[in-house]
Amino acid sequence: IVLITHEMEVIAKIADRVVVMERGGIVEAGETYDVFTNPQSPVTKRFVATVVRALPSGDDLARLREAHGGRFFTIEFSDDSASEARVFRALNREGAEFQLIHGGIDDIRGRIYGRLLIAVHGDDDAIARAFAAVAKNIRITEVQ
């Protein structure tokens, strides 16, 4: 069945594969889960942001930085990777404090995808050790 829609919530629930088009051309295609968890093109990112929780940016991010301080990181994980709890345990073991600032967990084709924003306070080496211990299965990116 071929379904043409702008309703990305429907695609996330029922489609095995997705093709994103812009101006009559294909800009991205693949397994729905893969495209939704790692969109490449700007148009795909806009579509996916209607389903997968976007992280704050611009003025919203600046306000969060003022309120929480520390270094900000995104943590991305899927149902076939380690959970966010591993990151939190590793930070605790290294003596780093953290606050969960924003994010959530989404269901895409019955699979889990989580993206969280955390503020971390502590020694830079301790933070690096904690993230190195869990980075194999979880994507961690510092937010500049």
Side-chain angles (χ1 to χ4, degrees):
I1 296 173
V2 175
L3 172 67
I4 300 171
T5 183
H6 287 95
E7 299 294 328
M8 299 310 280
E9 301 87 15
V10 173
I11 300 302
K13 296 245 185 279
I14 67 169
D16 295 322
R17 298 186 52 77
V18 62
V19 174
V20 179
M21 298 181 70
E22 182 176 41
R23 297 180 186 180
I26 295 173
V27 295
E28 197 160 344
E31 298 290 325
T32 301
Y33 187 83
D34 296 336
V35 171
F36 274 51
T37 59
N38 193 23
Q40 298 299 306
S41 75
V43 69
T44 305
K45 289 176 183 178
R46 284 194 309 274
F47 278 134
V48 168
T50 65
V51 176
V52 175
R53 299 165 213 267
L55 294 173
S57 60
D59 290 342
D60 292 333
L61 183 59
R63 280 190 289 280
L64 289 171
R65 283 189 187 281
E66 276 183 39
H68 299 282
R71 294 171 61 192
F72 277 34
F73 295 90
T74 59
I75 301 169
E76 295 179 72
F77 57 93
S78 62
D79 59 0
D80 58 351
S81 71
S83 72
E84 75 281 7
R86 280 193 62 212
V87 174
F88 299 158
R89 283 193 301 272
L91 287 167
N92 279 331
R93 262 194 318 272
E94 294 296 337
E97 295 182 12
F98 66 90
Q99 292 175 295
L100 178 57
I101 304 298
H102 189 275
I105 300 171
D106 295 291
D107 181 314
I108 302 167
R109 291 279 304 134
R111 294 179 62 193
I112 299 301
Y113 174 66
R115 187 164 48 177
L116 306 174
L117 177 65
I118 62 172
V120 182
H121 301 269
D123 177 70
D124 289 344
D125 290 335
I127 294 168
R129 283 191 305 273
F131 288 158
V134 297
K136 179 180 176 188
N137 296 323
I138 297 173
R139 190 171 17 189
I140 300 168
T141 307
E142 186 160 10
V143 179
Q144 300 299 326

